[in-house]
Every structure is written in C-alpha cells, then in structure tokens.
Amino acid sequence: MEQAKSKRIVLGITGGIAAYKAAELARLLVKQGIEVQVAMTEAATHFITPATMQALTGHPVLIDQWQDDKGMSHIHASRAADAIVIAPATADFMAKLATGLADDLLSTLCLARDCPLLVAPAMNKQMWSNAATQRNMQRLQADGVTLLGPASGMQACGEEGMGRMLEAETLAQEILTTLQADVTTTSKRLSGKRILITAGPTYEAIDAVRGITNRSSGKMGYAIAQAAVEIGAQVILISGPVSLRPPVGAQVVKVTSAAEMFEAVKSEIVQADIFISVAAVADYRVAQASEQKIKKSDAALTLELVPNPDILAYVGALPNAPFCVGFAAESEKLREHATEKRKNKNIPLLAANLAQNAIGSDDNELVLFDDAGEHLLPRANKLTLARALLQHTAALYLKEK
Ligand code: C5P
C-alpha cells in the first residue's frame, strides 16, 4: 500500500455484525498515517465497543449528537474530513442516506459534509436484493456516493450470497486511492459535457438462434459511464448485450450488432464533446445471416465473414471529431500494439489492458498511451480505474480546448 500523508477521515460504523471488521480497517488506515475519527450509531455500540475504536485511533468516538456543548460536533467533524467512510453500512443506514434523513449524529454528519462519501454495505443477501435497498443503492450512486462492494460469500447468518462487506484490506486500498487521487477536481470540469460511451460486446447473427460474439462483460464501459455521471457529465451509453444495470442518470441506447452500434454512434456523435469507445466490437460479421435456423448435417459448414466498420476510426476521422479515447485489449506486446492502434485510429488517448487480466473481472490494470508517453493506472476495481481514466481524459481535453 502507498502512503497517504496528513489526510483525515471520518469512519462511520453502523449496527451490523461486520462492525468487527471496522477495527482492522481503522488499524490499517492509522498505519498509513491517516487521522481517523470514528463516529458510531448507537446500534453499532452493541457490536463493537467505542473503547476498542478509541484505542485504535487515539480519538474519543462520536456517538451522541448532544455530547458536545453546542451540539455542533457533526459540523466540526464533517468539515475537518477529507472523506467520510461508512463501514459497515446497514440497509437501514443506506435508506437514511438515500432519503437525506439526519436523526442521529452519524447521519447528520453525512448530510453536513462537503467531501466524498464512501459506503461499504453489509447485510443479509435477502436484505441486499430487496427492491427498496436496490433503489436506495441506485439513488446513492446517482447522488455521487461511492459504493464499495458488497461482495458475495458466506454470511454471518450461515447463508451464502451477495451482501458481505469487503475485507478491511480492500476497503483501506480503496480509501487510500480516493484520498490520493483527488479525482474530482479536474474531472469535475467536464460537468455538463456530453460524453458518448460504447460498452459491452456486439452479437453478430449467424442464423435465427446462433451468433458470433466475444467475452466482454461491459463492466469497464459501465464503470466509466458511472464515473462520468458522478462528475455531472451528460452521459449517453450505447451498450451491446450485457446483463448489467446501467447507472442511473445515463441515457442508454441498447444495440445488438456492430452495424446497430455504428448507426447509434452516428446519430449521437454530432453533439458529443468526448467519445470513449470501450465496446469490444466484433471484427467480423457473417456475410449472409440466415433468417431461419440452419439445419445440422454431417457436412462441414463454411461461413463467409466480412469485416465490420471500425466505429472509433470513423469518429476519429470526422472533421469535427470529439476528443476520442480508445481501448485496446491485447494478449501480448501491449505497448507495441497500443501505440500502433492509437496512430492508426488517429486518437489522442488509448487505454490498453491485457485481455486475460480484464475480461469479466471486477479489477483491472490499465496503461494509458498519449502524446506524452505512457502512464500506468495500477490494479484496482474498474470504478476506481474509470475515475482515474476520466481524470486523465479531462486534463488532456481541457488542454486541447
Ligand atoms: O482494433 P481494435 O479492435 O483492437 O481496437 C479497439 C478499439 O477500437 C476499441 O476502442 C473499440 O471500441 C474500437 N473499435 C470500434 N469498432 C470496431 C472495432 C474496434 O470502434 N469495429
């Protein structure tokens, strides 16, 4: 873990069994030189004692809204913080945050903040998948709150499923990245800009039931759309077939084939300021797709494949091209292929990754190629990478303007 100096966070603990992990989280953050002020809900004190948290952080724990003279501890603690982290966040506390309730010290502190808020949900899988919790989660994301997890796995109640809090080590890494990156400042200057993003695979029909596609999950493109919504951009997400929930606030155009994606891009591109081409567009389609299902036989079957249009190269060659960001998934010789692609497609910025590291995974590592050379975005989850990529894009885009 890298060192983050002189940063202060408020660590909010709410009442769930995962509260015990907050002790390890506090320890890891303090070890990194971060000043940690713990604030607990009353319910949290039934799972872990304030004395433990005070001993680990060196600061008395805030619990009661009225414990200081003027009832102003929420304003003071909130103003002093570089970030507020709620770990664990119960379903109940997420509901409070989503509706803007402030009926105890911790919720008041969150409402009074002017710094990033990171929330690590922890709950039973049924509570997590409940429509109300899912709605609250989407509301929070649309409000610019960062969700860390949850993960899937064995739960305290003995069931297995989605809702486990991320491990302390992972949370600490995410918090450090947020504190170090200071992502918001430059990126926020893209607020109001129109960002067009393609994501996911395309599907090229062979016949009525069969087709050619690839293993893109769409996670990277959707994470970029999420990060772009967070900074206040107008986001148009043109998505191939994926099973992901699009970010609230993005305008979504669903397509299937490369030809459909191309049409959708052509009709949206005129007004775009930035084009981020993340989709894994199929390079070929079947020359003559059959309307009916092709009957199986013992004879060999030959399909004629014809190349699909290169959407990014088309946009890059437009007379008034928006600022273009391309992606390259390679299985080897990353630098060589990425440099060549950036040149061929005539684009200022290209994010390259190794396909074997990226496909379907929640984490990735990117190398950015631009006129100044190459920049490594170290392994992190795709939302963290998306924010860093937007930060880099914003800096280059604003320099060009
Ligand atoms: O040439 P290659 O497919 O590796 O280039 C990848 C980049 O080009 C990605 O940004 C991808 O979205 C874009 N692309 C495209 N249309 C294609 C093929 C790739 O826009 N037909």
Side-chain angles (χ1 to χ4, degrees), residues 181-399:
D182 196 12
V183 162
T184 44
T185 9
T186 316
S187 307
K188 277 224 163 114
R189 292 176 62 196
L190 296 183
S191 172
K193 297 284 176 222
R194 260 177 106 85
I195 305 187
L196 182 62
I197 300 162
T198 64
T202 65
Y203 175 89
E204 314 297 325
I206 295 173
D207 65 16
V209 295
R210 305 180 183 98
I212 299 172
T213 187
N214 59 62
R215 287 172 53 216
S216 165
S217 64
K219 284 179 184 170
M220 192 67 229
Y222 275 56
I224 293 172
Q226 166 69 40
V229 168
E230 282 174 10
I231 54 168
Q234 292 180 56
V235 180
I236 302 136
L237 174 62
I238 301 180
S239 173
V242 297
S243 51
L244 297 173
R245 203 190 290 268
V248 177
Q251 179 191 327
V252 184
V253 182
K254 291 206 164 154
V255 297
T256 304
S257 64
E260 284 172 21
M261 187 172 273
F262 193 26
E263 286 313 307
V265 168
K266 281 197 278 192
S267 72
E268 297 289 349
I269 202 70
V270 202
Q271 299 183 54
D273 299 295
I274 296 175
F275 176 52
I276 309 183
S277 181
V278 198
V281 184
D283 292 320
Y284 298 95
R285 66 181 182 281
V286 178
Q288 278 295 324
S290 164
E291 273 184 28
Q292 303 304 330
K293 185 178 172 191
I294 301 170
K295 285 290 151 209
K296 183 170 74 173
S297 84
D298 289 339
L301 175 68
T302 306
L303 293 172
E304 191 195 344
L305 300 180
V306 292
N308 273 326
D310 191 317
I311 304 172
L312 178 57
Y314 164 87
V315 175
L318 287 173
N320 279 321
F323 185 88
C324 287
V325 183
F327 265 73
E330 305 296 340
S331 57
E332 56 163 4
K333 297 186 185 151
L334 198 64
R335 179 178 302 127
E336 207 175 296
H337 293 312
T339 310
E340 199 182 306
K341 262 176 206 176
R342 194 172 83 86
K343 202 166 123 226
N344 290 346
K345 294 181 196 254
N346 189 28
I347 54 172
L349 178 60
L350 185 127
N353 54 207
L354 286 171
Q356 54 271 38
N357 284 348
I359 288 179
S361 163
D362 289 333
D363 292 348
N364 197 4
E365 181 178 299
L366 291 177
V367 187
L368 308 185
F369 293 85
D370 59 20
D371 284 345
E374 57 183 83
H375 319 263
L376 175 71
L377 300 184
R379 179 154 279 277
N381 78 30
K382 287 182 175 173
L383 185 56
T384 304
L385 288 175
R387 293 192 183 114
L389 173 66
L390 276 186
Q391 164 90 346
H392 197 90
T393 304
L396 293 185
Y397 171 80
L398 294 167
K399 207 162 25 162

Side-chain angles (χ1 to χ4, degrees), residues 9-14 78 81-87 89 93-94 96-98 100-101 106-121 139-141 143-148 174-175 178-179 184 188 226 230 383 387:
I9 70 152
V10 169
L11 173 59
I13 308 176
T14 68
S78 176
D82 294 298
I84 300 178
V85 182
I86 311 295
F93 197 77
M94 284 176 66
K96 267 192 202 176
L97 287 177
L101 281 180
L106 186 54
S107 52
T108 309
L109 207 143
C110 290
L111 204 61
R113 79 183 186 280
D114 64 355
C115 63
L117 175 61
L118 294 82
V119 169
R139 179 72 258 162
L140 289 174
Q141 283 182 320
D143 289 348
V145 173
T146 301
L147 283 190
L148 303 175
E174 293 294 337
I175 295 162
T178 302
L179 291 177
T184 44
K188 277 224 163 114
Q226 166 69 40
E230 282 174 10
L383 185 56
R387 293 192 183 114

Side-chain angles (χ1 to χ4, degrees), residues 43-58:
T45 62
H46 295 274
F47 290 93
I48 187 163
T49 68
T52 302
M53 299 313 299
Q54 173 164 351
L56 287 168
T57 61

